[in-house]
Amino acid sequence: MSEREAMPADVVVVGAGPAGLAAAIRLKQLNSELEVVVLEKGSEVGAHILSGAAIDPRALDELLPDWRETCPLAETPITANHHWVLTRGGKWSLPEVLMPPLMSNKGCYTGSLGTLCRWLAEQAESLGVQVFPGFPAADVLYDESGAVIGVATQDMGVAADGSHKPDYQPGIELHAKYTLFAEGARGHLTKPVKARFELAKDSSPQVYGLGIKELWDVAAGLHAPGTVIHTQGWPLSESETWGGGFLYHQAGGQVALGFVTALDYANPWVDPFKEFQRWKTHPAIRPVLEGGRRVTYGARAINEGGWQSVPKLAFPGGALVGCAAGFVNVPRIKGTHTAMKSGMLAAEAVAAAIAAGRAHDEQAEYDAAVRTSWIAEELATVRNAQPLVAKFGGALGTVLAGADMWLRTLRLRLPFTLRHHSDASATQRADIYPRIDYPKPDGVVTFDRLSSVFLSGTNHAEDQPGHLLLTDPTVPERINWPLYGGLEARFCPAGVYEYVGVEEGSPHLVINAQNCVHCKTCDIKDPTQNIEWVTPEGGGGPNYPNM
């Protein structure tokens, strides 16, 4: 018999991001009597949320039409939009008239997604939703038929050796008629659920980018609220890697800037963190930062697979919503609106099912609703953009992607959809490529990993079981070091993976799990898929103030 207490609910939502909170709010709007519980692994709502963010308010307008009256996001509408192609020492602007209308930021806003989620949580709680931060869902619960019947939160107070510390508390089982998984990209429960129900059987593999972000206070004379800038080209063009940067002038004299590296890069010497630092030295970027102050830092994997990578969304007892399913519009660099809309559609299907006396069955209505919604229309229009760039490179790929989007915008539907290959399988041997000589940080505009992680507020209790698991502990020394040059030390933006003993000729991987910012890159990019990310003790990880 389980020692865990059980708590009943109508609906359990795993993850207090925009999709999960939108689902919770919509459920209570439809039926105020429903018992809705939201679990969040961060120490508070927003603590693990990281995005640019330039936000399309379409879903927010549908969910809470009066949001502009009280939501902090309304403070900074986007007023100027620039797209730069960078060379090593210069840039040229891509005229907005050449881009399809869907690429416009007219009517959009820029601000902190974490702050938006805190505001959404307040709206949810005012409707009676129970939101529990610091309680990560650790296990999925199934009944005898194999249907999902809820989740169990993680045991607290477990020592690294598995013994119970004096403050030990067993997790709680939350039993629900339906469970919505809104964990974000590469969710640790979503991953086994997708495998168990073969949800990705008929879809292309999901692919990802690693987004690294900093928030800066900048000089008043350099601050232009509402201006957003996106870049492509240098420095990734030098390693035949794809990605780009963003620089958003937001409220309060702050600039949010960041860099996304597509994780399908072949060259294992590429270091996404150092590419970001190098990008900041460009003569079009550095002047904005000089004289300013770096406030915080963070990183997170981003879905980039698009429409062809969206899996089956429903299964007995549950559904995937938001980035757990993968609704990011990569060319627009936006996913909040599609994530929220998916949560709302899931809520509508679940509320109707509960009203009809159903429970623990498959929400086929939700899957069908998404595939006939504006989510589908928007993502189908851009479905070939990312794979065209991945196949043909930044220059030619951008031209082909633009042509494909224009043709689809004009309803000249092309009769093909390009597919993806997994990011892990794209990695090539280190001996094929020369090492990349990255400049040392100057401490003014560019910085090292550890000082950056410090600004993320990351903290994990030292005496707890490891949350970064190696399926085969011999793989790092036997495969990853000799074949890939120990790429774990480079793809991680937080200094978690470190090879020691190199000078002595006996390299050995050390995992500094306390540095982990929960970006999930290691779970994605490791060539042998030997690293498994599981949830650490509740409240651990980054504590982003307004990312």
Side-chain angles (χ1 to χ4, degrees):
M1 183 175 179
S2 173
E3 65 177 329
R4 293 167 168 165
E5 294 182 7
M7 174 180 173
D10 291 305
V11 183
V12 168
V13 180
V14 181
L21 291 168
I25 290 169
R26 188 69 183 127
L27 282 163
K28 296 295 278 188
Q29 288 175 337
L30 293 167
N31 184 350
S32 62
E33 299 301 314
L34 290 176
E35 193 71 31
V36 181
V37 175
V38 179
L39 297 177
E40 167 55 39
K41 66 183 177 68
S43 60
E44 64 175 2
V45 173
H48 290 180
I49 295 291
L50 183 145
S51 181
I55 296 175
D56 183 333
R58 184 173 185 176
L60 199 50
D61 286 338
E62 293 180 13
L63 181 67
L64 298 164
D66 298 330
W67 67 271
R68 290 172 182 81
E69 296 178 7
T70 58
C71 180
L73 181 65
E75 187 174 349
T76 313
I78 294 175
T79 55
N81 185 40
H82 304 282
H83 191 109
W84 295 343
V85 179
L86 303 185
T87 60
R88 175 180 282 273
K91 67 176 175 66
W92 55 274
S93 296
L94 192 63
E96 194 166 357
V97 69
L98 295 180
M99 292 186 278
L102 64 90
M103 298 294 288
S104 171
N105 274 312
K106 184 178 180 180
C108 296
Y109 295 79
T110 183
S112 162
L113 184 59
T115 299
L116 173 61
C117 287
R118 291 185 182 94
W119 181 83
L120 286 171
E122 292 173 0
Q123 312 313 304
E125 289 177 323
S126 71
L127 293 171
V129 175
Q130 297 183 72
V131 181
F132 295 119
F135 286 87
D139 298 295
V140 182
L141 304 177
Y142 302 93
D143 66 11
E144 297 81 0
S145 70
V148 173
I149 58 170
V151 295
T153 64
Q154 190 180 49
D155 295 344
M156 305 288 282
V158 179
D161 62 4
S163 63
H164 293 176
K165 295 187 286 188
D167 60 348
Y168 170 76
Q169 289 184 325
I172 299 173
E173 292 188 357
L174 289 103
H175 297 171
K177 296 172 182 175
Y178 295 100
T179 304
L180 302 181
F181 293 85
E183 299 178 282
R186 198 71 168 195
H188 73 283
L189 295 185
T190 301
K191 184 178 170 183
V193 164
K194 287 174 68 175
R196 182 184 182 105
F197 293 105
E198 298 184 316
L199 301 181
K201 180 177 63 174
D202 298 321
S203 61
S204 191
Q206 184 60 261
V207 293
Y208 302 85
L210 172 58
I212 305 176
K213 177 183 174 181
E214 294 176 349
L215 197 64
W216 284 66
D217 291 331
V218 298
L222 299 174
H223 188 238
T227 296
V228 301
I229 299 166
H230 296 103
T231 78
Q232 67 181 80
W234 189 87
L236 291 178
S237 54
E238 295 186 352
S239 59
E240 298 182 354
T241 304
W242 171 247
F246 64 86
L247 195 154
Y248 301 158
H249 290 256
Q250 298 178 344
Q254 291 190 324
V255 165
L257 70 154
F259 199 78
V260 179
T261 303
L263 289 176
D264 62 352
Y265 59 84
N267 182 349
W269 298 113
V270 168
D271 187 322
F273 174 85
K274 291 183 178 179
E275 294 289 352
F276 172 42
Q277 300 305 313
R278 187 158 64 142
W279 173 79
K280 289 188 292 179
T281 68
H282 191 276
I285 306 298
R286 185 180 186 111
V288 179
L289 306 178
E290 287 183 326
R293 181 178 69 92
R294 190 172 65 145
V295 177
T296 190
Y297 165 90
R300 186 69 169 93
I302 306 164
N303 295 302
E304 291 192 340
W307 188 238
Q308 55 268 57
S309 294
V310 173
K312 182 181 178 183
L313 300 172
F315 45 89
L320 307 181
V321 300
C323 285
F327 295 118
V328 173
N329 184 324
V330 176
R332 292 191 73 195
I333 320 178
K334 291 177 177 61
T336 300
H337 63 306
T338 48
M340 290 182 65
K341 180 63 174 178
S342 71
M344 293 156 62
L345 291 173
E348 290 164 8
V350 165
I354 293 174
R358 293 161 51 190
H360 306 144
D361 60 346
E362 184 173 311
Q363 283 293 315
E365 300 91 339
Y366 162 56
D367 194 293
V370 168
R371 297 181 193 280
T372 56
S373 70
W374 56 256
I375 297 174
E377 181 180 3
E378 181 174 322
L379 295 187
T381 300
V382 302
R383 61 188 171 190
N384 284 334
Q386 196 279 346
L388 281 168
V389 173
K391 184 176 180 63
F392 294 103
L396 178 58
T398 297
V399 173
L400 294 174
D404 186 272
M405 287 190 292
W406 263 115
L407 289 170
R408 294 180 187 278
T409 299
L410 297 171
R411 304 294 179 181
L412 301 173
R413 302 292 186 182
L414 301 178
F416 64 89
T417 298
L418 299 177
R419 295 181 65 83
H420 304 291
H421 302 285
S422 74
D423 295 320
S425 67
T427 313
Q428 300 295 309
R429 298 194 323 268
D431 61 357
I432 299 175
Y433 300 91
R435 291 176 180 262
I436 300 174
D437 184 21
Y438 290 103
K440 293 182 179 180
D442 59 19
V444 177
V445 169
T446 61
F447 304 91
D448 62 20
R449 275 178 168 83
L450 294 185
S451 66
S452 299
V453 173
F454 176 79
L455 290 180
S456 71
T458 296
N459 182 59
H460 295 89
E462 290 187 14
D463 188 14
Q464 65 170 301
H467 72 277
L468 301 166
L469 310 180
L470 301 181
T471 304
D472 181 347
T474 71
V475 163
E477 293 80 18
R478 184 168 53 85
I479 297 176
N480 284 5
W481 178 263
L483 291 186
Y484 304 107
L487 80 167
E488 304 99 317
R490 291 182 293 279
F491 64 50
C492 174
V496 170
Y497 300 96
E498 178 185 9
Y499 278 90
V500 299
V502 175
E503 294 181 358
E504 293 79 11
S506 57
H508 175 70
L509 181 67
V510 173
I511 300 178
N512 304 304
Q514 68 275 12
N515 288 359
C516 180
V517 294
H518 298 200
C519 72
K520 310 294 182 69
T521 302
C522 57
D523 195 277
I524 296 165
K525 185 59 177 172
D526 181 57
T528 62
Q529 292 293 274
N530 189 52
I531 301 173
E532 182 181 3
W533 194 101
V534 299
T535 185
E537 192 167 281
N543 281 284
Y544 300 135
N546 53 346
M547 292 283 268

